[in-house]
Amino acid sequence: WGNRRRAVNPNHLCFTLSAQNLRALQQRLRRRGLPVLRRSRRNFGARGWGRTFYFADPDGITLEARTYEGVQP
């Protein structure tokens, strides 16, 4: 398979939070030294446009934290 890139599994678990709780979670992860895998200020999800970031749990499962508050369509 040589130079083929490894496939990425797009499956993940998403949590919808208030904007305040989203910021608090980001701060908590930062304090613990846990990296954010990806961040987006405008990302389309199940309920429309939102602000989101992705991180991994200790088992490597991708988690998404999202808010729909304050994001313009």
Side-chain angles (χ1 to χ4, degrees):
W1 299 94
N3 295 331
R4 281 190 151 191
R5 288 183 0 172
R6 188 170 165 219
V8 175
N9 185 348
N11 294 326
H12 65 281
L13 183 61
C14 180
F15 298 94
T16 301
L17 307 169
S18 68
Q20 180 180 354
N21 285 339
L22 186 76
R23 285 189 300 274
L25 177 58
Q26 286 177 307
Q27 292 171 354
R28 190 173 180 181
L29 293 173
R30 190 177 308 119
R31 280 194 310 268
R32 293 177 183 212
L34 299 172
V36 170
L37 305 174
R38 190 174 120 216
R39 186 183 322 262
S40 177
R41 291 190 172 275
R42 192 166 183 268
N43 181 285
F44 196 80
R47 293 178 14 207
W49 293 102
R51 189 169 60 249
T52 186
F53 70 90
Y54 296 83
F55 60 102
D57 78 356
D59 293 321
I61 296 170
T62 301
L63 303 174
E64 176 185 359
R66 163 181 291 272
T67 188
Y68 290 98
E69 294 177 12
V71 178
Q72 298 299 319

